[in-house]
Amino acid sequence: MTANPRIRPRRLRANPGIRRLASETRLHPAQLVLPLFVREEGGPMPIASMPGVVQHTLDSVRGAVQDAAAAGIGGVMLFGVPSVRDATGSGATHPDGILNRATRVVADEVGDALVVQTDLCLDEFTDHGHCGVLDALGRVDNDATLERYREMALVQAASGSALLGLSGMMDGQVAAVRETLDGAGFVDTAILAYSAKYASAFYGPFRDAVESTLDGDRRSYQLDPGNRREGLREAMLDIEEGADVVMVKPAGSYLDVLADVAAASDIPVWAYQVSGEYSMIEAAAMQGWIDRKRAVHESVLGIHRAGADVVLTYWATELAGWLNNGDFA
């Protein structure tokens, strides 16, 4: 081995300028989407397991989306927190249900500056906490749930949602919703399919955020965490059914699945950096164990590097501000 190597990769790391020119992956604010929770009653409510995140009111969400638009992020994904739930999640399809009201408020406020997106799932609205309606034996009835999704799609589109996030993991949900939207004239309303959505422990804080009433688990419809090929299969099925975007969720523990889907997909691929991923970094940073700003940036950059065109993250607005300031140049 020579003492004076001819090939020196460190040349491209020598100073900030050369590192910037040699950078292979960059984040831009437009590649970020901010999930937001809107509650039906009371004032803004901090979520204990997600430091810095709140359940908004219809008033406070206006400020949040104005800040998001000013930061230049790509969009917001809305979740509703209703005050009353029932077996079929009727609040999800009522025009004055909290999610549909919030959609109208946000679309009116920033609909020209942000892509207003809505979660199309029943779990926030059912008293049993599952993502669909139950049959006589207490199992999630796939096909009966599709009928509810069709109804939700029409109300959400009419309320001003530009992109519907199908997160329930029912077989055939993309085809059913696409058919319904097109039949009602909503041909320009896009579908984001949560295609590879795994039955993950990292959703815990999210269930606090939506005040989930779930008793049990969702393993009969969400994917087994050990299954890599199945994630790709689900994404390919959703593309065949007419999805405009496919999603991998969670992100950080499923980068292999994300890379597989990105390599195979001819449509945009997104990933959701979920509540547990957020809370772990926040908790470690609060203890002084990691550099918060660098860890946030690195975690989202890694998801983008693995193949996500867009990342849903609770840091979207804050991270966009750092990017706009050139903090990671």
Side-chain angles (χ1 to χ4, degrees):
M1 180 180 292
T2 176
N4 297 291
R6 179 176 61 86
I7 299 173
R8 294 178 181 268
R10 286 183 58 190
R11 293 188 187 109
L12 298 183
R13 306 173 200 149
N15 58 64
I18 196 72
R19 290 195 295 271
R20 184 167 57 248
L21 282 173
S23 177
E24 299 176 26
T25 306
R26 292 182 176 88
L27 282 172
H28 187 278
Q31 297 169 314
L32 306 174
V33 168
L34 177 67
L36 289 168
F37 306 101
V38 185
R39 62 185 290 114
E40 193 156 25
E41 294 183 345
M45 183 75 67
I47 301 167
S49 57
M50 298 180 70
V53 179
V54 302
Q55 293 176 342
H56 283 284
T57 65
L58 291 172
D59 287 332
S60 70
V61 77
R62 293 179 186 273
V65 297
Q66 288 171 355
D67 290 344
I73 73 169
V76 292
M77 175 65 76
L78 302 177
F79 297 86
V81 185
S83 57
V84 177
R85 296 171 166 87
D86 58 29
T88 61
S90 60
T93 48
H94 195 292
D96 287 328
I98 183 56
L99 179 55
N100 301 317
R101 290 165 60 201
T103 302
R104 292 194 293 272
V105 166
V106 172
D108 181 64
E109 195 74 26
V110 292
D112 293 332
L114 296 173
V115 178
V116 179
Q117 309 165 35
T118 46
D119 180 55
L120 197 156
C121 194
L122 287 171
D123 61 318
E124 298 117 276
F125 299 94
T126 55
D127 54 12
H128 47 73
H130 277 289
C131 298
V133 295
L134 304 183
D135 64 16
L137 298 178
R139 301 169 301 188
V140 175
D141 187 323
N142 191 95
D143 295 359
T145 298
L146 294 184
E147 296 308 308
R148 295 290 292 131
Y149 287 0
R150 289 176 185 269
E151 297 169 8
M152 290 180 70
L154 293 177
V155 177
Q156 291 185 4
S159 297
S161 178
L163 182 148
L164 309 183
L166 277 59
S167 62
M169 289 300 293
M170 296 297 118
D171 294 340
Q173 62 184 14
V174 173
V177 168
R178 184 74 272 160
E179 178 185 60
T180 298
L181 290 172
D182 291 353
F186 293 109
V187 295
D188 292 327
T189 302
I191 290 177
L192 162 64
Y194 285 53
S195 302
K197 182 178 180 181
Y198 285 82
S200 172
F202 292 108
Y203 302 147
F206 175 90
R207 293 177 182 172
D208 291 340
V210 297
E211 300 177 3
S212 174
T213 56
L214 180 67
D215 181 16
D217 59 56
R218 298 179 175 137
R219 295 182 184 181
S220 70
Y221 44 103
Q222 295 177 352
L223 298 183
D224 186 315
N227 291 3
R228 178 174 178 172
R229 291 192 303 271
E230 189 178 19
L232 176 59
R233 181 189 185 213
E234 287 276 10
M236 294 300 100
L237 287 171
D238 285 343
I239 291 172
E240 290 176 13
E241 291 183 15
D244 299 288
V245 184
V246 289
M247 174 97 88
V248 175
K249 178 183 179 182
S253 295
Y254 297 88
L255 297 180
D256 55 339
V257 179
L258 174 58
D260 290 346
V261 174
S265 176
D266 58 1
I267 66 173
V269 177
W270 295 7
Y272 197 143
Q273 185 179 46
V274 301
S275 58
E277 298 174 77
Y278 171 90
S279 296
M280 287 192 299
I281 289 178
E282 288 290 344
M286 289 170 66
Q287 294 294 324
W289 295 337
I290 58 175
D291 181 318
R292 179 178 180 272
K293 181 184 287 189
R294 289 184 60 196
V296 169
H297 176 254
E298 185 178 335
S299 68
V300 180
L301 183 68
I303 296 166
H304 178 42
R305 187 188 66 241
D309 300 299
V310 167
V311 180
L312 278 72
T313 175
Y314 298 96
W315 290 300
T317 301
E318 185 177 19
L319 176 54
W322 297 335
L323 294 170
N324 290 331
N325 291 335
D327 288 4
F328 306 107

